Amino acid sequence: MTEPAPVTFPNGRKLICDTCDNDVFESHRWKLQTTGMTLFNLDWANRDATCFVCTSCRRIHWFHT
Ligand SMILES: [Zn+2]
């Protein structure tokens, strides 16, 4: 976890909470991993996600990476 901070996308746009208009987020990287998927050769299902948690209302904004 990082210190809460504004989030800017590579295209220069800032992330704004779509619930409360806050612009300060905690960022987390979470694994979108389902144990057992490799048994079925579904390794492609194992991906990472970056999640920004609004410091005001706690809404989670997910971004696939
Ligand atoms: Zn919010």
Side-chain angles (χ1 to χ4, degrees):
M1 189 183 127
T2 59
E3 285 295 305
V7 175
T8 306
F9 293 108
N11 66 8
R13 308 255 321 180
K14 269 176 72 174
L15 178 62
I16 303 292
C17 178
D18 54 33
T19 298
C20 72
D21 291 337
N22 177 44
D23 67 351
V24 181
F25 298 85
E26 297 167 3
S27 70
H28 303 257
R29 278 183 74 77
W30 287 331
K31 280 256 184 252
L32 297 179
Q33 187 165 33
T34 308
T35 311
M37 280 297 190
T38 52
L39 289 176
F40 304 102
N41 289 321
L42 290 176
D43 282 335
W44 54 266
N46 295 332
R47 302 283 176 78
D48 285 351
T50 300
C51 307
F52 298 109
V53 182
C54 175
T55 55
S56 177
C57 73
R58 310 305 294 172
R59 178 177 169 84
I60 300 173
H61 300 66
W62 291 81
F63 294 90
H64 198 264
T65 50

